[in-house]
Amino acid sequence: MKIHSLQHLLSVTEECFGDIEGLCGDLSDDEWQVQSLCPDWNVRQCLGHAVGVEDALRGWEISSETMPAFERMTGLTEESVTMTAGEFGERTAAIFGERRAELAALSDDDLMRESFTPVGVQAFGRFWAIRIFDMWVHVRDCTIPLGRTTDDHTGAAAITLEEVEGSIGYIVGKKIGLPDGMSLRVDVTGPLARQIGVVVEGRASAVDPGSLEAPDVVLTADSTTLIMLACGRIDPQEKIDSGEISWSGNDEWGEKAARNLAFTM
């Protein structure tokens, strides 16, 4: 996957921090207790986790050998349960304040340094993109059950969709199990419209969707639905019944595709 520019990553991270801080300052006592889309966490704990990862990154030197202090992440997730809304908001503001300063001090060269990431040793710019993906999804883990609308046509949303698109070969080959010789195109509708093509030739690989004259399966979903299904957060049957995900072409494999997009949780 491409490494985004430093300024773009800083701008997009600010979108994510702003969304989380906005929720911290706006949720009622009852809303903090609502079950998030993460089975083990309510809204307070889900946001506690998202902020906790940034807490773990405070003071961490980019490294492929030394892990961030993830015990801080676990600690804040657990501590958040007993915090008042004001206390949690203050802790979040303090952590994000330090992280803003640390990230602003990075250089373009830092983006290419070897780094620990959740998917192995890669450039730090990839780790940063994965953090944006994680924060964007966790915000929707909270806003969807709360019934709150979000702006899903942002730089953070685009990077999040890129993470799904970059895993499309694995999703189609391993999770869906599309047979050798078949092809699939995903027609992604708004907020972030695009097409994604995959061909299985020994293994499933992404291809230029324009090269697929007659794909065996065409899956259609809006970008947010596709992302949240790929993250295993929402029930495929609910989205099939509502028509928010549909398919054409080979009916058997279209349905299997719609039900088996989840590659992470």
Side-chain angles (χ1 to χ4, degrees):
M1 294 185 196
K2 72 176 182 179
I3 303 297
H4 289 274
S5 73
L6 177 61
Q7 287 306 310
H8 185 61
L9 290 169
L10 285 168
S11 174
V12 168
T13 300
E14 187 57 38
E15 291 175 11
C16 295
F17 284 1
D19 285 344
I20 293 172
E21 288 173 326
L23 284 173
C24 287
D26 192 45
L27 294 176
S28 68
D29 290 343
D30 288 342
E31 285 177 314
W32 280 112
Q33 303 304 319
V34 168
Q35 174 65 48
S36 78
L37 296 183
C38 293
D40 295 334
W41 297 331
N42 61 21
V43 166
R44 177 76 57 91
Q45 293 164 302
C46 187
L47 292 179
H49 168 79
V51 177
V53 178
E54 292 302 305
D55 193 22
L57 293 173
R58 285 187 304 112
W60 177 63
E61 177 68 24
I62 298 168
S63 172
S64 60
E65 299 178 358
T66 304
M67 300 275 282
F70 284 127
E71 64 274 10
R72 293 186 200 156
M73 171 195 70
T74 304
L76 187 55
T77 305
E78 294 173 350
E79 289 173 36
S80 67
V81 177
T82 58
M83 287 181 182
T84 66
E87 288 170 341
F88 184 74
E90 289 176 5
R91 181 75 70 87
T92 296
I95 291 168
F96 283 178
E98 288 192 43
R99 290 294 293 145
R100 285 181 172 106
E102 289 177 341
L103 293 172
L106 296 176
S107 68
D108 290 319
D109 290 342
D110 288 322
L111 299 181
M112 302 310 298
R113 290 173 62 184
E114 282 196 348
S115 171
F116 156 81
T117 84
V119 291
V121 175
Q122 296 195 33
F124 177 69
R126 280 286 300 117
F127 178 83
W128 197 338
I130 292 169
R131 282 298 308 128
I132 290 164
F133 166 88
D134 187 63
M135 286 190 286
W136 190 93
V137 171
H138 280 315
V139 167
R140 277 125 195 101
D141 285 337
C142 299
T143 57
I144 290 173
L146 288 170
R148 289 178 170 238
T149 59
T150 50
D151 180 1
D152 293 352
H153 191 279
T154 64
I159 286 179
T160 301
L161 182 57
E162 285 174 12
E163 290 297 316
V164 174
E165 188 172 359
S167 299
I168 197 66
Y170 174 77
I171 293 170
V172 172
K174 298 297 185 180
K175 306 303 289 186
I176 297 171
L178 194 70
D180 196 31
M182 293 186 72
S183 61
L184 178 148
R185 190 182 76 219
V186 185
D187 288 351
V188 187
T189 61
L192 300 173
R194 66 187 64 183
Q195 290 184 322
I196 304 169
V198 184
V199 170
V200 184
E201 293 177 341
R203 58 178 296 179
S205 301
V207 297
D208 177 359
S211 68
L212 299 178
E213 294 184 4
D216 296 288
V217 177
V218 176
L219 201 64
T220 302
D222 70 84
S223 55
T224 302
T225 295
L226 179 66
I227 291 167
M228 299 308 286
L229 284 170
C231 292
R233 297 309 214 269
I234 52 180
D235 180 8
Q237 186 62 56
E238 178 183 320
K239 297 303 177 181
I240 291 169
D241 290 344
S242 69
E244 291 171 87
I245 186 166
S246 60
W247 60 87
S248 60
N250 186 298
D251 189 62
E252 176 188 358
W253 284 103
E255 182 175 357
K256 285 185 178 180
R259 294 185 183 280
N260 293 281
L261 289 167
F263 78 104
T264 185
M265 176 60 185

